[in-house]
Amino acid sequence: MTSCMPCYAPWRMSCGCVLFVLALLIYAIFGSPTPDAYGWVEILIALLLLASVRPPHLRQDSFFLSVCSYGVFVPLLIGVIAGADILDIVRDLVPFLFLFLVLIYKDHVSALGSSFYWLLSVMGFVFSVRAIIPYLDGLLTGGAFSLGAPADLLYLANSPEVLFSALWLMGSGFVAFFYERRIWRGGTFLALSAVPLLSMALMMQRAGLISVFLVLCALIFGLVRRYPSRWILCVLIFGGVGLLLWPILSFLVHGLLWKTHVVGLNSRVQEWHVVLSFVARDWIHVLFGYGWGMRIENPAVGGLSVLYTHSLVSALLLKTGIIGAVVVLGSLGLAVFRAIPLVFQNRILFMALIFPLIISAGIYASYKSLGFGLILLVFLESAHQKLEKKPLFVS
C-alpha cells in the first residue's frame, strides 16, 4: 500500500510553475469563483496565470487548439453582431477558456504530480473556511441549518474544489487509517474533511452531500471486501461519530428533505424549456446559437436577466448552438472518457474528481469557475500522459 502524501522537490519547480501555484493560492484566499466584477484580486490572479503560461505544442495540441478557436471566435462574432455588451462577452469568454487550460498548463500539472491534488484540496479547504465564517453566529445559536438567503454571498461552498477537498481528504484519511494503520495521519485527514462537509451542509447542497455519502459507502465496501475482519472497527468508529453528531445530522437531513419539498429541482426543467425555446426560433440559432454575451431571464434564479444557465450543456447550446455544443462537448467528453481508465488507477482520486466534474457541469453553474477548469485539466492532462500512480486501494 503506497502512501497518499505528496512526494516532490519544490526547488525543482520552474518559475512558471511557482507563479501558477501562487496564483491559485491567491485565488483561494482572496478570490471568488464567479466574481460580479473584476477587481485587483482578479487582475493579479490573471497576471500571474498569464506569466506562468507554457505555450501549447502546435502539432500535439492542434485538435484542442482548433476546437478552442472555433468556440472563441464564432460565438464572439455572433455576439458582437447582436450588439452584446462587451463586459458580458468577456464574462462569457473567460469561463469558456477555463475549459482548455490543458493547452497551456498541462506541463505544470505533470511537474507537480500528486502535489497538484493536494493543492486543489487546500484551495477547497480555504474556500470552505471562508464560506463557514459568515455562518458562525448561526452555528453558535443553533440556527445555521435553515432555508433562506445564504450567508455565503460568494457561494464559495458551491465551488468544485470544496467537494473535491471533502472527498480527497476523506478518502486519503480512510486509506491511511484503515489500510495503512497510520492512525494519527488518517484521523487528521478525516477530521479535516469535516470542514468542507460543514460548508456544503450549511449551503444545503444536496448533490454534494449525496456524493459524499456514496463515496463513503464505496470506501467501506472496499474495506470490507479486502479486509472482512476490519468492518467491526469501521462500524464502531463511524457509528460512534454518527451517534455523537446525531442531533445535527437529523436536523440536516430534515432540512434537506424540506428543501426538496419546497424548491424541488430548483426550476431546472423550466430553465431548459426557456433555453430550447430560444434556440428553436430559427435554423441559424439552432446551428450557431446567440453568441457570447447573450442574456436570458432565467426562471432558475427568479426570472433575473443573467448570462448563465445551470448546465454546461444548455449554456453551450444557447451561446454556441448545436455545432458549438457538439464540437466542444464531444472533444472534451472524448478526452475525459479516454482518461477515465488512467485516473481510475487511483480510486480515491477518481472519486474525488468525477463527482465535482459531473455536478458542476450538470447541476450547478460552477462550470464557469476556474476550479472546474482545474478539475477538467486533470482528466485532459491524464489523456496525454499516463498517470504513474498505484491505486490507493484495489478491488
Side-chain angles (χ1 to χ4, degrees):
M1 191 69 63
T2 58
S3 173
C4 54
M5 289 297 288
C7 180
Y8 75 108
W11 55 85
R12 295 179 183 176
M13 290 194 298
S14 65
C15 179
C17 193
V18 172
L19 293 176
F20 177 68
V21 172
L22 180 61
L24 297 186
L25 292 176
I26 292 175
Y27 170 65
I29 298 171
F30 301 106
S32 168
T34 53
D36 294 328
Y38 296 130
W40 71 268
V41 173
E42 288 73 29
I43 293 173
L44 177 59
I45 294 170
L47 290 175
L48 289 172
L49 289 176
L50 289 173
S52 66
V53 164
R54 294 289 296 271
H57 307 286
L58 295 180
R59 292 184 59 186
Q60 194 178 34
D61 300 323
S62 59
F63 178 70
F64 273 140
L65 279 171
S66 300
V67 173
C68 183
S69 298
Y70 177 88
V72 169
F73 293 109
V74 174
L76 175 61
L77 179 62
I78 295 173
V80 170
I81 293 175
D85 182 81
I86 184 64
L87 182 59
D88 287 347
I89 292 176
V90 171
R91 289 173 61 82
D92 269 347
L93 260 179
V94 171
F96 177 78
L97 292 174
F98 288 159
L99 301 178
F100 295 91
L101 294 178
V102 66
L103 291 172
I104 51 180
Y105 294 125
K106 63 178 178 291
D107 291 339
H108 294 334
V109 173
S110 179
L112 288 168
S114 62
S115 301
F116 183 70
Y117 316 140
W118 289 95
L119 175 60
L120 279 177
S121 182
V122 168
M123 293 171 64
F125 189 88
V126 173
F127 272 150
S128 302
V129 173
R130 292 175 58 196
I132 291 172
I133 290 174
Y135 288 94
L136 288 180
D137 290 341
L139 287 171
L140 294 175
T141 58
F145 298 97
S146 59
L147 294 178
D152 175 18
L153 298 179
L154 296 178
Y155 289 85
L156 297 172
N158 285 6
S159 305
E161 302 100 314
V162 172
L163 179 55
F164 176 86
S165 181
L167 296 176
W168 179 252
L169 288 171
M170 183 178 71
S172 300
F174 192 95
V175 169
F177 193 97
F178 291 102
Y179 282 83
E180 301 173 350
R181 299 296 183 91
R182 306 174 82 168
I183 304 303
W184 287 108
R185 176 176 294 179
T188 300
F189 289 159
L190 287 171
L192 290 175
S193 70
V195 176
L197 278 173
L198 177 59
S199 70
M200 292 189 295
L202 291 170
M203 287 287 287
M204 293 288 176
Q205 282 195 18
R206 292 168 290 177
L209 294 173
I210 289 173
S211 66
V212 170
F213 175 75
L214 293 176
V215 169
L216 181 59
C217 290
L219 291 170
I220 295 174
F221 176 78
L223 176 69
V224 173
R225 187 179 179 186
R226 184 170 180 178
Y227 300 109
S229 61
R230 298 185 186 178
W231 72 269
I232 299 178
L233 176 63
C234 191
V235 169
L236 288 175
I237 291 176
F238 286 103
V241 173
L243 288 175
L244 184 65
L245 300 178
W246 178 247
I248 297 176
L249 292 176
S250 61
F251 192 79
L252 175 60
V253 171
H254 181 269
L256 293 172
L257 293 174
W258 178 246
K259 179 179 179 179
T260 303
H261 173 72
V262 173
V263 302
L265 298 177
N266 287 331
S267 302
R268 298 298 194 265
V269 175
Q270 293 87 335
E271 180 183 75
W272 264 99
H273 182 267
V274 170
V275 170
L276 294 177
S277 66
F278 269 101
V279 173
R281 286 183 177 179
D282 54 68
W283 68 269
I284 294 180
H285 291 125
V286 169
L287 295 177
F288 301 105
Y290 286 84
W292 300 130
M294 193 270 184
R295 288 179 169 268
I296 63 169
E297 294 180 356
N298 195 331
V301 289
L304 296 175
S305 177
V306 294
L307 288 166
Y308 63 89
T309 66
H310 288 81
S311 166
L312 177 60
V313 179
S314 61
L316 288 175
L317 191 62
L318 179 67
K319 305 295 179 78
T320 69
I322 288 181
I323 294 178
V326 170
V327 169
V328 174
L329 293 175
S331 60
L332 295 177
L334 180 61
V336 170
F337 183 78
R338 287 174 52 198
I340 284 178
L342 305 176
V343 180
F344 195 71
Q345 294 178 36
N346 184 327
R347 309 291 175 83
I348 301 299
L349 176 63
F350 176 77
M351 291 188 292
L353 287 170
I354 196 66
F355 284 103
L357 185 76
I358 293 173
I359 291 173
S360 297
I363 301 177
Y364 298 151
S366 46
Y367 63 85
K368 294 174 68 71
S369 69
L370 175 60
F372 179 78
L374 294 172
I375 286 176
L376 182 61
L377 172 59
V378 177
F379 280 101
L380 301 186
E381 190 273 337
S382 300
H384 284 78
Q385 179 178 334
K386 185 174 183 179
L387 290 176
E388 297 180 357
K389 305 282 187 299
K390 293 181 180 180
L392 294 180
F393 67 93
V394 294
S395 58

